[in-house]
């Protein structure tokens, strides 16, 4: 279904209306000590930069007759220490963030299962050959049933081989799980996770909340390995971790979280060339 120009204009109007509503709510809704969230994050920025706000300066001038020129950066030191601690826990130990493990009874594709079971059958035939039994029919009596003298022995052999089969299934699944885990780690490293998480942690330490967007699909130059063992740069569209500044994030406060509310708006800037490129695309 194609979107008409009027529908695009209506959609843009909805976006602008939600942004203005969210911005007004953040500036007017009181959250702590008679102050709005907008006021508190501005105050936190000044405290980190070791600056007095105009309001602080006026209060000090009225109370003491002067404004102190020295500012102990306690907030700055605490934020940096918390950021470094969290970064050390996560960024330097990406493997500890997630562990991919197969279930005790993994489900494999039919081809892999057939290959494993064929190997187990081959081992059964080898055991029979070692025991001097070349024809399985020799294990049957005149009525076509398993001879009672060796039935218990065969049951134990089947159980043992079944355990071997299950162990090989789990081993193959574990190998695949390790490959998946390594792939996930590589995607996080290539996808800017370390830088985005570091800035997200800074916001969370200073403002009490941080925002990251994923996936933010982008075309990036990445190394690709050639068939002759060499490597070259290729442009690929990859999932990207991107930090969003708290001051530029405007959620609609009509739900308990940012996944179920009616919308989240990001205030951002684009260059003239980016704006021209957007205008040439049908979905803008």
């Amino acid at each position: 279904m194609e979107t008409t120009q009027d529908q695009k204009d209506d959609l843009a109007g909805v976006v602008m209306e939600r942004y203005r509503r969210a911005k007004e709510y953040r500036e007017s809704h009181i959250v702590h000590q008679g102050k709005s969230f907008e006021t508190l994050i501005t105050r936190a920025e000044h405290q980190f930069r070791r600056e007095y706000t105009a309001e602080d300066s006026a209060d000090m001038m009225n109370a003491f007759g002067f404004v102190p020129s020295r500012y102990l950066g306690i907030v700055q030191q605490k934020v940096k220490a918390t950021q470094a601690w969290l970064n050390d826990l996560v960024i330097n130990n990406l493997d500890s963030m997630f562990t991919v493990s197969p279930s005790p009874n993994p489900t494999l594709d039919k081809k892999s299962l057939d290959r494993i079971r064929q190997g187990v059958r081959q081992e059964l035939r080898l055991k029979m050959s070692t025991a001097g039994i070349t024809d399985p029919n020799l294990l049957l009596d005149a009525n076509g049933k398993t001879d009672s003298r060796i039935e218990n022995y065969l049951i134990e052999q089947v159980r043992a081989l079944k355990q071997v089969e299950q162990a090989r299934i789990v081993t193959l699944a574990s190998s695949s799980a390790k490959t998946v885990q390594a792939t996930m780690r590589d995607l996080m490293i290539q996808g800017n996770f370390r830088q985005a998480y570091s800035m997200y942690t800074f916001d969370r330490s200073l403002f009490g909340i941080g925002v990251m967007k994923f996936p933010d699909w982008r075309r990036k130059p990445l190394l690709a390995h050639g068939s002759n063992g060499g490597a070259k740069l290729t442009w690929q569209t990859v999932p990207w971790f991107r930090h969003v500044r708290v001051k530029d994030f405007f959620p609609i406060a009509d739900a308990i979280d940012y996944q179920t509310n009616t919308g989240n708006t990001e205030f951002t800037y684009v260059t003239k060339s980016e704006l021209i490129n957007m205008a040439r695309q049908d979905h803008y």
Side-chain angles (χ1 to χ4, degrees):
M1 180 178 174
E2 201 166 316
T3 306
T4 65
Q5 187 59 46
D6 289 341
Q7 290 172 330
K8 292 178 182 178
D9 292 341
D10 291 340
L11 182 60
V14 171
V15 172
M16 291 300 299
E17 190 275 331
R18 285 182 174 177
Y19 162 71
R20 292 192 180 104
R21 181 153 53 99
K23 186 173 185 296
E24 181 181 356
Y25 179 84
R26 197 169 86 176
E27 292 173 347
S28 60
H29 181 68
I30 303 302
V31 294
H32 182 66
Q33 294 182 344
K35 300 184 184 299
S36 66
F37 184 71
E38 183 72 26
T39 302
L40 291 175
I41 60 177
T42 301
R43 187 183 188 90
E45 282 187 320
H46 281 284
Q47 288 176 334
F48 182 82
R49 295 197 300 259
R50 296 190 300 177
E51 298 173 353
Y52 290 116
T53 63
E55 182 183 348
D56 291 334
S57 299
D59 290 340
M60 290 180 185
M61 181 61 70
N62 292 333
F64 308 112
F66 68 97
V67 179
S69 58
R70 298 185 64 185
Y71 197 133
L72 297 178
I74 298 177
V75 171
Q76 186 182 89
Q77 293 175 15
K78 287 186 175 181
V79 168
K80 287 185 175 180
T82 305
Q83 181 188 20
W85 175 62
L86 291 173
N87 287 345
D88 187 58
L89 287 177
V90 177
I91 293 179
N92 297 332
N93 299 280
L94 289 181
D95 286 334
S96 64
M97 289 186 60
F98 50 81
T99 302
V100 182
S101 302
S103 66
N105 297 296
T107 301
L108 299 183
D109 60 282
K110 186 177 183 302
K111 187 176 180 180
S112 298
L113 282 175
D114 290 343
R115 187 172 64 251
I116 291 174
R117 286 168 180 167
Q118 184 63 31
V120 172
R121 291 191 190 99
Q122 189 63 31
E123 290 189 18
L124 178 58
R125 294 191 187 100
L126 183 60
K127 285 189 176 185
M128 291 172 61
S129 177
T130 304
I133 303 173
T134 56
D135 186 359
N137 291 325
L138 297 176
L139 303 176
L140 306 177
D141 58 19
N143 297 322
K145 296 182 179 180
T146 307
D147 193 297
S148 58
R149 293 171 297 179
I150 61 172
E151 184 175 8
N152 291 333
Y153 171 77
L154 288 177
I155 290 174
E156 291 302 321
Q157 292 300 310
V158 169
R159 286 176 179 171
L161 290 174
K162 187 65 177 175
Q163 291 177 356
V164 171
E165 178 187 64
Q166 185 64 22
R168 292 182 181 178
I169 291 174
V170 172
T171 300
L172 184 59
S174 299
S175 177
S176 299
K178 288 180 180 179
T179 301
V180 171
Q181 183 168 329
T183 302
M184 292 172 64
R185 181 197 60 210
D186 292 345
L187 283 174
M188 292 179 69
I189 294 174
Q190 293 179 355
N192 195 50
F193 176 81
R194 286 174 170 166
Q195 293 84 348
Y197 183 82
S198 179
M199 291 185 286
Y200 156 80
T201 302
F202 173 83
D203 282 357
R204 193 172 60 162
S205 303
L206 181 60
F207 305 122
I209 182 176
V211 184
M212 269 205 303
K213 182 180 179 182
F214 179 82
D216 184 37
W217 296 96
R218 295 191 176 187
R219 281 186 61 78
K220 292 288 180 179
L222 299 175
L223 277 176
H225 298 283
S227 57
N228 59 352
K232 62 179 181 178
L233 280 177
T234 61
W235 285 88
Q236 301 177 34
T237 302
V238 295
W240 199 254
F241 290 89
R242 185 167 64 84
H243 162 254
V244 179
R245 293 178 68 239
V246 172
K247 294 201 74 170
D248 296 333
F249 184 66
F250 295 89
I252 299 295
D254 57 3
I256 60 174
D257 55 47
Y258 299 147
Q259 280 74 43
T260 58
N261 62 346
T262 55
N264 303 306
T265 307
E266 178 189 356
F267 183 87
T268 186
Y269 298 89
V270 296
T271 63
K272 184 176 180 180
S273 61
E274 289 174 325
L275 189 62
I276 293 173
N277 186 49
M278 288 179 185
R280 291 172 176 170
Q281 299 179 36
D282 292 336
H283 61 275
Y284 277 99

